[in-house]
Amino acid sequence: MACLSIVIPIFNEREALPHCLDRLSEVVAPLDLETELVFVDDGGTDDGGAYLIEAARTDTRIRLLRLSRNFGKEAALSAGLDYARGDAVIIMDADLQDPPEWIPVMLDYWRAGRDQVLMQRRTREGETWFKRVSARLFYWLIGRASDVPIPANVGDFRLMSRRAVNALLQLPERNRFMKGLLTWVGMPTEIISYDRPPRTAGETKWKPLSLLKLAWEGITSFSIAPLRLVTVIGICAAAIGLFFGFWIEIKALAIGGDPPGYPSLIAIITFLGGVQLISIGILGEYVGKTYIETKQRPLYLIRDIHGDARVDPAPRADDMREGRS
Ligand code: UDP
Ligand code: MG
């Protein structure tokens, strides 16, 4: 029988977990698939992990990876994908904002030969005005900056075939901008629209600043457009300066005398100083990224694994690349 893995990152989701398990069980039970639920506890500080360890005693479908600390959702997802064994892998949130009822629909597309089934948010209920606007801005920016077209409003809720997961696991970078990496992988893809409900329980884990950070990371790790933009600004500034110089010369020759202009000089100097500092900052961002990549640290560390201890974890991407398995 084919196997379906559902990967669920959790970070202090204790309140949402019982609902999540109930709804998932209802959806998964009638499926003609062997199912594993791979929970990744991203260093949560509540007793969500303990709850799942207890649940795994009676429910053999549950597996729990606990990371050594909070590594962030993207790293938690990488861990889940490394250990998922399914022929199809679905990623979803624990808070039921990604309704499990869509899973059978996603599976239909998978059976029809799609390697990725993406869920696109048509509406975002219960999200703040700030989050909606920043999401729009983010997708607009990344759409312009990235070479591969990243579909707007597609979150992490998606299905991937084994082929797509293996392709993703081959990408070596430390900086996991999932939306970008998955688009980069390509393969036959289907996009389904859905209405995103509000959280069932608990609070969103994103603070405005961390979203901003994610957006900046996403853009700079996936595109060198900011570097190009700086070059273009430099060329424009140089061209304007040149023409301005000519114009002053000609005016001085025609009218004579020293042209006044102390304030405009100061304005130009501060403006150019600012542009230069921003440019160095952006350049530094990329140098820093290169530095982090060269360290080759693991993306996450596992504290322990629970449930279904009979089977060894799936081979890590690194092992596969080196031919160990
Ligand atoms: N999450 C995680 N690590 C983090 C932050 C969040 O594993 O550092 C998980 C969280 O438990 C949830 C999912 O990522 O299952 C989405 O988080 P959240 O619902 O807070 O984000 P939103 O839906 O508001 O975008
Ligand atoms: Mg959520």
Side-chain angles (χ1 to χ4, degrees):
M1 208 187 330
C3 174
L4 166 68
S5 301
I6 301 177
V7 173
I8 307 167
I10 54 166
F11 178 58
N12 295 346
E13 299 284 1
R14 173 65 185 84
E15 266 179 84
L17 282 176
H19 306 280
C20 178
L21 280 177
D22 285 351
R23 287 263 295 273
L24 267 176
S25 299
E26 257 171 57
V27 171
V28 160
L31 296 177
D32 187 22
L33 290 168
E34 200 183 310
T35 312
E36 62 167 7
L37 309 175
V38 184
F39 286 91
V40 184
D41 185 359
D42 187 13
T45 48
D46 64 0
D47 58 350
Y51 175 82
L52 283 171
I53 294 172
E54 198 47 46
R57 280 189 222 284
T58 49
D59 189 340
T60 53
R61 298 168 309 180
I62 298 179
R63 294 171 77 201
L64 171 68
L65 312 176
R66 290 202 290 180
L67 305 189
S68 62
R69 62 170 172 85
N70 180 241
F71 281 89
K73 184 181 178 187
E74 313 263 319
L77 283 179
S78 298
L81 291 176
D82 277 343
Y83 282 82
R85 293 174 302 215
D87 304 298
V89 180
I90 289 176
I91 301 177
M92 60 175 271
D93 289 356
D95 57 10
L96 296 173
Q97 281 194 291
D98 305 336
E101 287 70 29
W102 283 99
I103 289 176
V105 183
M106 297 162 97
L107 288 170
D108 286 343
Y109 281 107
W110 170 62
R111 291 200 186 91
R114 301 293 193 284
D115 285 281
Q116 292 203 51
V117 184
L118 316 183
M119 301 300 293
Q120 188 170 44
R121 298 161 193 182
R122 198 162 30 201
T123 54
R124 300 158 165 262
E125 261 179 76
E127 285 189 6
T128 59
W129 173 87
F130 177 81
K131 188 150 181 214
R132 286 170 204 230
V133 171
S134 53
R136 265 192 107 120
L137 186 69
F138 170 70
Y139 285 113
W140 180 80
L141 271 178
I142 193 90
R144 316 214 110 211
S146 157
D147 293 334
V148 285
I150 293 178
N153 291 319
V154 171
D156 293 318
F157 187 26
R158 62 179 74 218
L159 177 145
M160 276 173 281
S161 67
R162 178 44 51 194
R163 204 154 57 135
V165 173
N166 285 348
L168 183 73
L169 296 185
Q170 274 175 33
L171 305 185
E173 52 251 75
R174 308 292 105 185
N175 206 309
R176 309 304 279 185
F177 174 54
M178 283 291 193
K179 291 182 215 290
L181 297 181
L182 285 162
T183 319
W184 187 88
V185 162
M187 302 207 188
T189 300
E190 188 72 37
I191 301 184
I192 305 175
S193 287
Y194 76 115
D195 296 307
R196 191 160 211 244
R199 260 181 171 271
T200 33
E203 298 262 291
T204 178
K205 305 295 174 299
W206 300 112
K207 294 171 210 91
L209 263 183
S210 63
L211 274 179
L212 205 67
K213 191 165 161 249
L214 190 75
W216 178 247
E217 286 290 328
I219 289 166
T220 52
S221 69
F222 213 67
S223 144
I224 55 164
L227 285 176
R228 251 177 240 149
L229 183 73
V230 166
T231 314
V232 171
I233 292 176
I235 291 171
C236 292
I240 292 171
L242 199 68
F243 282 114
F244 189 60
F246 272 130
W247 185 66
I248 300 251
E249 269 316 306
I250 291 165
K251 222 172 99 177
L253 287 178
I255 305 169
D258 281 337
Y262 178 72
S264 55
L265 209 60
I266 294 295
I268 289 168
I269 288 175
T270 35
F271 172 71
L272 283 186
V275 168
Q276 279 167 359
L277 285 180
I278 293 171
S279 317
I280 296 172
I282 291 179
L283 192 65
E285 186 79 24
Y286 285 91
V287 175
K289 284 232 151 61
T290 318
Y291 168 64
I292 287 170
E293 294 287 337
T294 55
K295 287 200 279 193
Q296 292 287 306
R297 290 211 181 133
L299 286 172
Y300 56 85
L301 291 176
I302 301 251
R303 175 176 153 200
D304 49 18
I305 302 179
H306 298 267
D308 200 14
R310 287 162 290 142
V311 196
D312 289 335
R316 287 286 322 275
D318 295 337
D319 298 340
M320 286 193 283
R321 238 174 290 131
E322 287 159 24
R324 288 184 268 134
S325 86

